């Protein structure tokens, strides 16, 4: 009886060791994926910060020039410093418009170039 318990104990220890190895292997893969995602996020953040600073510098220069010339008023200042919001909807409407035009073109082409079904085999279509 004790041999059976020892045998089961060894089997359980072996399966536990195998499971731990698999867990370590899987966690290494997830760690690599997580590292790649983190590096990508940092690069994206850095690029966005760099481009926004460049835009801010050009806006500041434009404001300085307009102020020197005496053409700067509140409306112009607000337009130049107001953040621009990008949305998903204009791109979607443009894509839907292009899709609609493509479908209309296909339908018109099919109507124009389709053989006339009313004509008999011996007659020409008018």
């Amino acid at each position: 009886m004790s041999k059976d318990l020892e045998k089961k104990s060894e089997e359980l220890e072996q399966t536990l060791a195998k499971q731990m190895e698999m867990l370590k292997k899987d966690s290494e893969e997830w760690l690599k994926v997580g590292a790649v995602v983190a590096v990508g996020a940092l690069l994206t953040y850095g690029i966005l910060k760099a481009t926004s600073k460049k835009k801010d510098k050009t806006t500041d220069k434009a404001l300085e020039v307009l102020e020197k010339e005496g053409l700067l008023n509140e409306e112009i200042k607000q337009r130049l410093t107001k953040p621009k919001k990008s949305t998903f909807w204009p791109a979607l409407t443009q894509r839907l418009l292009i899709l609609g035009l493509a479908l209309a073109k296909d339908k018109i082409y099919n109507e124009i170039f389709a053989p006339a079904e009313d004509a008999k085999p011996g007659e020409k279509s008018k």
Side-chain angles (χ1 to χ4, degrees):
M1 182 109 176
S2 67
K3 286 185 179 182
D4 288 339
L5 289 175
E6 288 178 15
K7 196 173 189 182
K8 285 183 182 181
S9 170
E10 284 182 29
E11 288 177 4
L12 287 174
E13 287 177 7
Q14 288 176 357
T15 54
L16 181 62
K18 286 180 183 178
Q19 288 177 349
M20 289 300 286
E21 285 180 32
M22 291 181 68
L23 180 66
K24 286 180 184 178
K25 188 181 250 186
D26 289 343
S27 65
E28 286 177 8
E29 292 175 9
W30 281 106
L31 184 64
K32 289 177 185 176
V33 169
V36 168
V37 169
V39 167
L42 286 174
L43 283 174
T44 304
Y45 179 75
I47 290 171
L48 288 175
K49 278 294 193 179
T51 56
S52 67
K53 285 181 183 179
K54 186 176 182 182
K55 184 180 176 184
D56 290 342
K57 288 180 183 177
T58 56
T59 304
D60 291 340
K61 287 180 183 178
L63 287 172
E64 287 176 16
V65 169
L66 287 172
E67 191 173 353
K68 284 180 184 177
E69 298 292 326
L71 300 173
L72 184 64
N73 60 18
E74 275 301 313
E75 182 184 351
I76 294 173
K77 186 175 182 179
Q78 184 180 10
R79 283 186 186 179
L80 289 175
T81 56
K82 181 179 171 185
K84 293 183 175 135
K85 296 179 183 177
S86 61
T87 61
F88 176 72
W89 295 112
L92 181 64
T93 55
Q94 290 172 356
R95 289 185 179 121
L96 288 175
L97 177 66
I98 291 171
L99 178 66
L101 291 174
L103 290 174
K105 179 188 77 162
D106 287 342
K107 189 172 184 177
I108 291 172
Y109 278 172
N110 288 338
E111 288 179 9
I112 292 174
F113 295 115
E117 295 176 10
D118 296 338
K120 292 181 182 177
E123 297 178 3
K124 293 183 181 178
S125 63
K126 295 182 181 178

